[in-house]
Amino acid sequence: MRFDTKHLIRWGIPGWVLIFWLFYESLFIKSINPLESNLLDISKGLTVLISLAAIGVPIGYILHQIYFGFTWAVNKNRNYNEIADKIGEKFPKHDEWGQNPHEDYFQFEYVWHAMLINQDAETRKYLEDRYRYLLSTVHGLGALAVSSGMSMIGTIFISQFSDFHFADIQFYIYLWSGFIFQFVILLSTMLNYSYYSNNLRAFQIKMLKTYL
């Protein structure tokens, strides 16, 4: 199986983000002082860092699968009639169009790739590269949103079921600072996800209208 650096980054980021926040919560919310722990030992700290970095990749891969499962595999709210109507009569619908959103999606992907095959090499390369960039960005943001959402749930869970030793003001500063950062990341990710998803769909519609 071929494993490129891009896969390491794509799968690693959601996992590393989740691990970072869980690590943050363990240190500050559970009142572990990193300056007094053995994490400052270079060899131990490096070992922990490498281990967490390695673990983050499979965790990120799992988060990608969760994202795909809920937003693509079981999502039946996608309306491809609207997309086909924007393309016009040139879009070939299958015999049972409108009855199954998954089949409609497969037809849309078939038409898209059939259009790519009929282009010259230069045009096809541009369309493929642009499509690949937008699609990978959408999926990366989706997995990051899942990671951020789970980290927020982890913060709430730990804050509710852990035994704290901090003074109240110090605890709430750490708690709300982390929670606010997580919320900002989640909100920004969701906004960017919506933007790139709309960008991708508009790109495909305009290119299909042009080249079909």
Side-chain angles (χ1 to χ4, degrees):
M1 177 175 142
R2 183 180 176 185
F3 189 82
D4 295 330
T5 303
K6 65 181 180 180
H7 295 135
L8 176 67
I9 301 299
R10 182 185 306 166
W11 295 338
I13 289 177
W16 296 331
V17 168
L18 181 60
I19 289 175
F20 169 80
W21 285 116
L22 292 177
F23 190 68
Y24 170 89
E25 293 152 7
S26 298
L27 288 179
F28 294 104
I29 297 181
K30 297 189 74 174
S31 68
I32 299 175
N33 189 342
L35 298 177
E36 297 176 357
S37 68
N38 59 5
L39 293 177
L40 289 181
D41 182 275
I42 295 179
S43 60
K44 293 182 179 179
L46 185 60
T47 300
V48 172
L49 182 62
I50 294 175
S51 299
L52 293 178
I55 294 173
V57 176
I59 291 177
Y61 179 79
I62 293 173
L63 294 174
H64 266 84
Q65 301 313 307
I66 294 174
Y67 154 72
F68 276 114
F70 282 98
T71 61
W72 290 78
V74 300
N75 184 4
K76 297 184 179 181
N77 295 323
R78 297 179 182 275
N79 185 3
Y80 289 95
N81 269 323
E82 181 180 352
I83 296 174
D85 291 343
K86 289 182 179 180
I87 296 172
E89 296 180 355
K90 294 189 295 183
F91 183 86
K93 299 179 180 179
H94 61 82
D95 294 337
E96 298 179 353
W97 181 266
Q99 300 181 25
N100 187 326
H102 292 311
E103 292 297 328
D104 294 347
Y105 168 73
F106 297 150
Q107 176 69 8
F108 180 76
E109 284 292 292
Y110 163 76
V111 174
W112 171 255
H113 289 286
M115 180 274 292
L116 291 177
I117 292 174
N118 292 328
Q119 305 310 309
D120 59 75
E122 183 177 354
T123 301
R124 182 167 58 249
K125 184 178 186 308
Y126 167 76
L127 294 176
E128 289 176 342
D129 289 347
R130 182 63 177 168
Y131 174 73
R132 185 182 299 111
Y133 165 73
L134 291 173
L135 187 63
S136 62
T137 301
V138 168
H139 291 334
L141 289 169
L144 182 58
V146 173
S147 175
S148 299
M150 292 181 67
S151 70
M152 291 181 66
I153 294 174
T155 299
I156 296 172
F157 180 84
I158 291 176
S159 66
Q160 294 297 317
F161 297 99
S162 294
D163 181 23
F164 304 107
H165 303 288
F166 278 177
D168 289 344
I169 185 64
Q170 190 176 13
F171 157 67
Y172 282 113
I173 288 175
Y174 286 131
L175 174 64
W176 286 107
S177 295
F179 191 82
I180 289 172
F181 273 115
Q182 291 175 71
F183 177 76
V184 169
I185 293 173
L186 177 60
L187 180 61
S188 301
T189 301
M190 294 179 65
L191 291 174
N192 287 331
Y193 178 85
S194 177
Y195 168 79
Y196 278 99
S197 295
N198 293 334
N199 195 344
L200 171 63
R201 191 61 68 218
F203 171 74
Q204 289 185 285
I205 291 173
K206 292 180 184 297
M207 292 302 103
L208 285 172
K209 289 177 67 175
T210 301
Y211 292 109
L212 274 182

